[in-house]
Amino acid sequence: LSVLVVTCPCALSLATPTAIVAATGALTRLGLLTTRGHALETLARTTHVIFDKTGTLTYGRPQVVAVEPTGEREARHCLALAAALERGSEHPVGRALAASADPSVPGAAGLRNTPGSGIEGWVEGRRYRVGRPEFAAGLSAAPMAERTDLDAGSTWVALGDESGLLAWFQLADSLRPGAAAAVAALRSRGLTVELLSGDRVEVVAHVAGQVAIVEAVGGMSPQDKLERLRELQGQGKVVAMVGDGVNDAPVLAAAQVSLAMGSGTQLAHATADMILLSERLEHLARGVDMARRTLAIMRENFAWAIGYNLIALPLAAGGWLTPWMSALGMSFSSLLVVVNALRLRQA
């Protein structure tokens, strides 16, 4: 009877769930919601962190600051056409275009979204595209004229039809406060940080310089991001992806652990393992710290539970422990595991 009581697996069964529950509660109070059980353990083993740009390192609320028609059409008309195509879009650039135009513009039909490039549709019987310049120019057989005068710190999208490009739209976004400090904190913890974005190369390089990210690539489609992610995973790296938009959903789903911004789309939230409700990037480093502490506490709990059984079992089998002593030892072992896990309640 002493052997049966002393070998009760209570401490072993409590070692992991108590630590995860305590850590999850602490992170939720901090503003980092854990939605899947494996997230903490995987985050503790992460070696690479990949950031998207729009809505992640930046606020993701760009504003239209300039409209440059390329022909005889008025700037207001070009903006109205772009807004008609982007009405109902969840992408930050699409929302900015839709919000900047007259709400009385005609609606668009036959809309077709190309993730990472733009959207195509029909307005008043004519087919248009709005999005990346090369995508918008794709309806026309004429080659797109290169522009070297674009502001590197702004996002530029274009409107085009079968005759060529009709207008350029300049949008400006602002960097989140604490973004540079968050990147520095992650790097100080031994993590490699990369920036992958579908925005123009010049814009991505500008943002990367502001936050001190060396590995930054612009002009990437969702498929390009996915291939880069799989390349790192093929090298044995554990990758955490931080994003917010519809275009990030495939990469968020493929990463070992994924984090979505609280202001991100519902699809990003459904795909992500953790959601940064606080919108404060500096909480990412604290999340990594908590995940590593959780893993350490779990190992301590397992070591104690196994060590207790290795010591108590021979004593019980040899008759040195009576049943009531075994019950006390088993209870004390379980209590110790729980108390050790409660150390994680402070984020």
Side-chain angles (χ1 to χ4, degrees):
L1 182 58
S2 296
V3 170
L4 289 175
V5 173
V6 86
T7 56
C8 175
C10 292
L12 280 172
S13 61
L14 290 171
T16 297
T18 52
I20 290 178
V21 169
T24 299
L27 288 178
T28 301
R29 289 190 295 273
L30 186 66
L32 185 57
L33 178 65
T34 304
T35 60
R36 289 180 173 83
H38 74 89
L40 282 174
E41 188 173 353
T42 307
L43 185 61
R45 296 190 171 98
T46 295
T47 60
H48 281 64
V49 178
I50 296 178
F51 281 99
D52 179 49
K53 182 185 74 68
T54 305
T56 306
L57 291 177
T58 64
Y59 273 110
R61 294 191 290 269
Q63 303 293 323
V64 178
V65 296
V67 181
E68 300 180 7
T70 60
E72 298 179 354
R73 300 200 187 200
E74 294 183 357
R76 184 170 61 179
H77 183 221
C78 293
L79 187 56
L81 291 172
L85 294 172
E86 295 286 5
R87 186 175 294 164
S89 172
E90 289 190 336
H91 195 281
V93 171
R95 289 199 297 261
L97 290 172
S100 301
D102 187 342
S104 64
V105 297
L111 293 175
R112 185 176 65 181
N113 180 48
T114 303
S117 295
I119 193 167
E120 175 183 329
W122 294 78
V123 180
E124 296 181 330
R126 194 174 183 88
R127 186 164 59 147
Y128 297 93
R129 281 183 179 180
V130 63
R132 294 171 65 173
E134 57 272 20
F135 172 76
L139 286 177
S140 171
M144 185 183 72
E146 294 290 335
R147 294 193 58 175
T148 59
D149 59 336
L150 300 179
D151 179 13
S154 301
T155 297
W156 291 83
V157 297
L159 173 71
D161 64 4
E162 295 177 356
S163 66
L165 291 184
L166 302 176
W168 291 80
F169 305 102
Q170 181 185 9
L171 298 96
D173 198 1
S174 54
L175 196 69
R176 288 184 185 272
V183 171
L186 292 172
R187 293 177 61 185
S188 69
R189 286 156 175 79
L191 300 175
T192 301
V193 181
E194 295 188 14
L195 171 58
L196 305 181
S197 175
D199 215 332
R200 291 172 48 242
V201 174
E202 296 82 2
V203 177
V204 175
H206 178 75
V207 172
Q210 290 181 296
V211 297
I213 295 180
V214 178
E215 298 290 336
V217 184
M220 301 190 78
S221 67
Q223 183 62 34
D224 294 333
K225 296 180 184 180
L226 191 58
E227 290 176 359
R228 174 56 181 164
L229 175 70
R230 287 173 174 165
E231 178 185 348
L232 291 172
Q233 291 173 334
Q235 298 170 3
K237 311 299 184 183
V238 179
V239 184
M241 175 69 192
V242 187
D244 86 313
V246 171
N247 293 339
D248 302 319
V251 193
L252 288 170
Q256 282 100 328
V257 60
S258 53
L259 301 97
M261 302 299 290
S263 60
T265 64
Q266 292 183 0
L267 181 58
H269 289 174
T271 309
D273 303 312
M274 306 179 80
I275 302 174
L276 189 59
L277 298 174
S278 68
E279 297 282 318
R280 297 177 59 182
L281 292 175
E282 60 267 30
H283 288 167
L284 293 176
R286 295 178 66 178
V288 172
D289 290 340
M290 176 60 73
R292 291 176 176 177
R293 284 180 58 201
T294 302
L295 197 59
I297 291 292
M298 287 165 55
R299 288 169 176 164
E300 291 174 4
N301 285 349
F302 276 118
W304 164 254
I306 294 173
Y308 159 75
N309 279 277
L310 289 176
I311 295 172
L313 182 57
L315 294 177
W320 293 93
L321 293 180
T322 61
W324 69 268
M325 292 179 181
S326 299
L328 285 178
M330 180 270 295
S331 301
F332 175 75
S333 176
S334 300
L335 182 61
L336 187 61
V337 166
V338 173
V339 171
N340 191 40
L342 291 179
R343 294 163 52 201
L344 294 167
R345 294 183 63 188
Q346 298 299 321

